[in-house]
Amino acid sequence: MKQEIEILKQENECQRGASNVMLRKINAFIVCESKASEVEACQQKLREEERLVADLSAELQLQEATVKQLREQADSQPTAPTGEMDEAVKVVDDLKRRLVDAEEEKQKALGQL
């Protein structure tokens, strides 16, 4: 009888140990899933920022070409109004600032990965 009780105690300890191991595995899985979700969110943010940078770069190139064309027109026609060119220059400057901001956000997203 005493031996049976000892065996039951040992079995109980083994089952507790197995339960603890299983709980650790479950906790590790939850942590991994959480980290995977964070990485996925960071990767999505990075893709969005890369797209924004590409869009702003393309728009900036177009606007810079417009400014160049307006400057050439202004040079060939000294009496031409410069308001349109001034506005185009402002747009280019704004795009440059937005591009710098987007690049910074992209770098932040990269840093979070």
Side-chain angles (χ1 to χ4, degrees):
M1 179 73 163
K2 192 173 186 179
Q3 199 173 21
E4 289 174 4
I5 292 173
E6 191 60 37
I7 290 172
L8 288 174
K9 282 182 181 179
Q10 288 177 356
E11 283 178 1
N12 190 17
E13 285 181 35
C14 286
Q15 287 175 350
R16 252 190 280 149
S19 294
N20 286 339
V21 168
M22 187 57 76
L23 285 174
R24 282 192 216 112
K25 284 182 178 181
I26 290 169
N27 286 337
F29 177 77
I30 291 169
V31 168
C32 287
E33 285 296 310
S34 174
K35 294 295 180 187
S37 295
E38 288 176 28
V39 167
E40 188 175 322
C42 288
Q43 288 173 334
Q44 177 62 30
K45 174 76 171 162
L46 177 60
R47 284 190 294 274
E48 290 170 6
E49 292 302 329
E50 286 174 337
R51 216 169 320 156
L52 179 60
V53 166
D55 291 347
L56 287 172
S57 294
E59 189 176 343
L60 179 59
Q61 286 179 342
L62 286 172
Q63 291 299 326
E64 285 176 333
T66 300
V67 167
K68 182 179 177 186
Q69 183 182 15
L70 289 171
R71 281 195 177 129
E72 289 170 357
Q73 287 175 357
D75 290 344
S76 66
Q77 302 170 5
T79 59
T82 59
E84 189 178 350
M85 186 173 72
D86 292 341
E87 186 61 33
V89 169
K90 286 179 187 176
V91 169
V92 166
D93 289 342
D94 180 57
L95 283 171
K96 286 179 180 178
R97 280 191 295 279
R98 289 174 52 200
L99 184 58
V100 167
D101 291 344
E103 283 286 352
E104 288 173 357
E105 289 298 318
K106 178 181 154 186
Q107 291 304 316
K108 285 180 189 175
L110 276 172
Q112 291 177 349
L113 285 178

